C-alpha cells in the first residue's frame, strides 16, 4: 500500500465531519501552527516534557517520511483561506533486533478544542491497515497515567491489548491483526457517529434560510414561509444580500453576520454561488446544510464536477450536507415542528420515516400521506445524495425512538456494499419498505438524468433487498399500503388470514388475492363456528370468509372480530365493509375498532372500506389504536403478503 496519497473522509462522534490524509513535506508550517495552538498540558502528554518550540530538524523529521517504516496521517479542516491541521497520528518502526516481530511505536496529538470527538480513534483505525500492509505485526505506545482521553482510545479500540504500568506511564502492546472485536467496535462507532450527524439536521434550535425572499412563488420565500406556518420552535434567520426585513424578521446579507448560533442552514441560491455560501457556513460554525439549489450532477459534466467539488468542500470544512437538488426536510415532533421544504403539505405526526430521491415526487408523497392520514416522524428529500445518503438515514432511523417503519423511494445506491451491511441490522429492528425505480432501460436512463442516479441492474437490486430483509414494492401506492399496515400493526406471525365481510363478492376477491400471493384462508375451528352461529343470522356464512350479510350491525362486527381473532388457526384478521343504508358508517367503524381491541396483540387487524367516503375517526379510537384502512381487497392482500 502506497500511503503517500492517502485520503479519507470520516464522521466524528458528535456528527461533525473530518478529512484525513497523509502528511506532506509542505505541511511544515501547518504542523508548526498546530503545535502553537496546543496547550502545555497536551504538549506534555505528547512529548513527556515541557516544550516551547519545534526545531527545523524536528519539522523535517515529522513531515518527510518514507511511508513504509515511518507514516503519519493528519486530520484537517478547511476554511476559505487554507486548511488547518487539527490532529496528527503517526507510527515509527522500532529496531528490536533481527528475530523480533516487526513493531512500531504509535503516537497522537489532537488540538485541545477537538479532543473528545473521536479523532484519535479514527487516526488509529486508519493507521492500522497501513501498518499491516507493510508487515508490521504489533503497535506499542506509552501514555501518561493522567492522559485519560488517550487511555480511552486504546482501551476501547477492540484490539487485544497488553497493558503494563511503570512510574506513572502505561505501556500498551497490541497486534495489528484485525479482530472481530475491533471490527465490531469500529462499525458501532461509525453508526453512532452517522446517526449523530443526521440527528443534527432534525433537531435544530436555529435555522438560517440563505436565499430567503419576499417574493411569492420563490423557493427561498416558500422555505421561510413554511417554517413559520409549521410553527418551528427555534429561531429563524433570513439571509438576503440587500433586504433588511422579510415578513417582520430582520434580514442579514451573510450568514456570518448572524449574532446567534446557527444549527442548520437551508441554501436556495443559484448553483454558482453555493460554494461561497458553504465557506460562509463553515466560518460561522454551522455543521448541517441542506442545499436546495439545482444545477449540479443532474445537468451535465460541468455540473457533476461542481458537485464533486461541493462534496469535498463540505467534508473538508467539517459539515454534512443534504442535497443538492433536493426539496428539504421535515420533522413533525412537536418540540421541533419543522417544515424545511418548499412543499406546503405537512403530514400528521406518526411513526413512518420517509426518504425520497425525487423532490417533485416528494411533494406528491407528502400530499398522499396527509390524505390517507398516515403519520410521519420525519421526511427527507436527499436529491443527488452527494453527502448524506440513504445509508446515513437508515443509521439515524434505526436509533430514532419516534420511527417504527422506514419508507424509501430510491433511484440509485450510493454505496450498495454499505447498504448491505447496515440494512439487515436495521430491518431486524424496524421494517424497511422500498420502491426502487429504474427497473427498465428507459427508467434507468430517466433516473440517471433526473437525480444523478446511477442505474443498477434490477436483478441485483432484488438480490440486495432480499439479502437485507427489505420489503420491495412495485408501486408507490403499494409502498404506502405496506407502511400503513406496519406503522400501526405488528407483522403477521404467519400466513393464515381470516376474512370478515358484510358482502360475499369482496370476500371472494380478497380470498382469491390472498391465495395468489401465498397466503392461506384456513378453516375456522368448530368452537369458533359454534360461537359465530350464536351471534349471526341463519343466512350468514360461517366459513372463511365469514359473510355476516348486508344487515350486519356494529355490535355483530365487534363480536365476530373478537370470536374469529381468538381462533388459534388465525394469524391475522381482515375486515371488509360495504356501505348499506341500514347501517351508519361511523357506527360500523366504532364496532370494528372495539372488536380489534379484543384480538391478541400479536395478530394484525386490517380493514377494507369499499367507499369513497372519508374514513371515520372512530376507526382509530379503540384500544388497539389506528386500524389501517384499504380501498380495495387486493390492496389489503398485497400489503399483508409483503409484511
Amino acid at each position: 500500500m502506497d500511503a503517500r496519497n492517502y485520503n479519507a473522509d470520516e464522521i466524528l462522534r458528535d456528527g461533525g465531519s473530518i478529512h484525513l490524509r497523509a502528511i506532506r513535506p509542505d505541511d511544515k508550517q501547518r504542523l508548526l501552527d498546530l503545535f502553537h495552538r496546543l496547550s502545555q498540558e497536551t504538549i506534555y502528554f505528547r512529548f513527556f516534557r515541557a516544550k516551547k518550540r519545534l526545531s527545523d530538524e524536528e519539522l523535517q523529521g515529522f513531515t518527510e517520511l518514507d511511508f513504509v517504516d515511518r507514516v503519519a496521517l493528519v486530520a484537517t479542516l478547511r476554511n476559505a483561506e487554507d486548511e488547518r491541521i487539527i490532529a496528527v497520528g503517526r507510527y515509527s518502526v522500532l529496531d528490536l533486533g533481527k528475530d523480533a516481530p516487526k513493531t512500531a511505536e504509535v503516537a497522537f496529538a489532537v488540538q485541545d478544542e477537538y479532543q473528545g470527538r473521536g479523532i484519535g480513534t479514527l487516526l488509529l483505525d486508519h493507521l492500522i491497515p497501513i501498518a499491516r500492509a507493510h508487515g508490521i505485526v504489533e503497535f506499542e505506545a506509552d501514555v501518561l497515567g493522567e492522559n485519560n482521553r488517550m487511555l480511552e482510545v486504546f482501551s476501547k479500540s477492540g484490539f487485544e491489548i497488553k497493558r503494563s504500568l511503570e512510574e506513572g506511564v502505561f505501556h500498551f502492546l497490541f497486534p495489528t491483526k484485525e479482530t472481530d472485536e475491533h471490527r465490531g467496535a469500529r462499525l458501532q462507532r461509525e453508526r453512532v457517529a452517522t446517526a449523530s450527524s443526521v440527528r443534527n439536521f432534525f433537531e435544530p434550535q436555529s435555522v438560517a434560510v440563505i436565499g430567503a425572499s419576499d417574493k411569492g412563488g420563490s423557493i427561498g420565500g416558500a422555505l421561510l414561509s413554511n417554517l413559520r406556518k409549521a410553527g418551528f420552535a427555534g429561531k429563524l434567520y433570513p439571509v438576503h444580500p440587500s433586504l433588511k426585513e422579510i415578513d417582520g424578521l430582520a434580514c442579514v446579507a451573510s450568514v456570518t453576520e448572524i449574532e446567534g448560533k446557527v444549527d442548520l442552514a437551508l441554501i436556495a441560491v443559484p448553483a454558482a454561488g453555493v460554494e461561497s455560501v458553504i465557506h460562509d457556513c463553515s466560518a460561522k460554525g454551522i455543521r448541517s446544510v441542506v442545499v436546495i439549489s439545482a444545477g449540479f450532477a443532474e445537468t451535465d459534466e460541468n455540473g457533476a464536477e461542481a458537485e464533486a467539488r461541493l462534496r469535498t468542500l463540505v467534508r473538508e470544512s467539517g459539515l454534512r450536507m443534504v442535497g443538492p437538488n433536493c426539496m428539504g426536510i421535515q420533522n413533525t415532533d412537536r418540540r421541533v415542528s419543522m417544515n424545511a421544504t418548499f412543499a406546503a403539505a405537512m403530514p400528521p405526526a406518526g411513526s413512518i420515516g420517509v426518504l425520497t430521491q425525487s423532490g417533485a415526487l416528494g411533494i406528491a408523497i407528502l400530499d398522499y400521506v396527509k390524505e390517507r392520514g398516515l403519520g410521519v416522524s420525519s421526511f427527507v428529500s436527499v436529491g443527488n445524495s452527494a453527502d448524506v445518503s440513504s445509508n446515513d438515514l437508515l443509521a439515524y432511523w434505526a436509533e430514532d425512538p419516534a420511527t417504527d417503519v422506514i419508507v424509501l423511494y430510491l433511484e440509485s445506491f450510493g454505496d450498495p456494499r454499505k447498504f448491505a451491511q447496515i440494512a439487515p441490522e436495521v430491518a431486524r429492528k424496524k421494517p424497511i419498505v422500498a420502491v426502487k425505480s429504474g427497473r427498465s432501460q428507459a427508467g434507468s436512463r430517466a433516473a440517471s438524468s433526473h437525480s444523478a442516479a446511477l442505474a443498477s441492474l434490477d436483478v441485483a437490486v432484488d438480490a440486495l433487498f432480499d439479502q437485507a430483509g427489505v420489503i420491495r414494492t412495485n408501486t408507490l401506492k403499494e409502498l404506502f399500503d405496506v407502511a400503513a399496515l406496519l406503522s400501526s400493526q405488528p407483522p403477521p406471525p404467519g400466513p393464515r388470514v381470516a376474512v370478515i365481510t358484510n358482502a360475499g363478492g369482496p370476500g371472494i376477491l380478497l380470498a382469491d388475492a390472498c391465495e395468489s400471493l401465498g397466503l392461506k384462508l384456513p378453516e375456522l375451528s368448530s368452537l369458533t363456528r359454534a360461537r359465530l352461529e350464536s351471534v349471526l343470522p341463519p343466512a350468514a356464512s360461517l366459513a372463511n370468509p365469514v359473510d355476516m350479510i348486508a344487515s350486519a350491525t356494529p355490535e355483530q362486527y365487534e363480536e365476530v372480530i373478537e370470536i374469529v381473532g381468538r381462533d388459534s388457526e388465525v394469524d391475522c384478521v381482515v375486515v371488509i365493509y360495504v356501505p348499506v343504508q341500514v347501517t351508519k358508517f361511523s357506527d360500523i367503524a366504532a364496532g370494528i375498532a372495539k372488536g380489534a381491541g379484543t384480538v391478541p396483540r400479536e395478530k394484525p387487524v386490517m380493514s377494507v372500506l369499499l367507499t369513497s367516503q372519508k374514513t371515520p375517526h372512530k376507526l382509530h379510537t379503540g384500544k388497539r389504536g389506528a386500524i389501517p384502512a384499504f380501498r380495495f381487497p387486493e390492496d389489503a392482500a398485497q400489503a399483508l403478503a409483503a409484511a
Side-chain angles (χ1 to χ4, degrees), residues 5 36 92 143 156 188 321 407-408 591:
N5 299 313
H36 290 152
S92 297
V143 181
K156 294 186 177 181
Q188 180 61 22
M321 172 181 67
V407 166
L408 309 174

Side-chain angles (χ1 to χ4, degrees), residues 476-487:
L476 285 172
K477 185 178 185 302
E478 186 183 333
L479 177 79
F480 285 100
D481 283 344
V482 177
L485 171 60
L486 293 176
S487 65

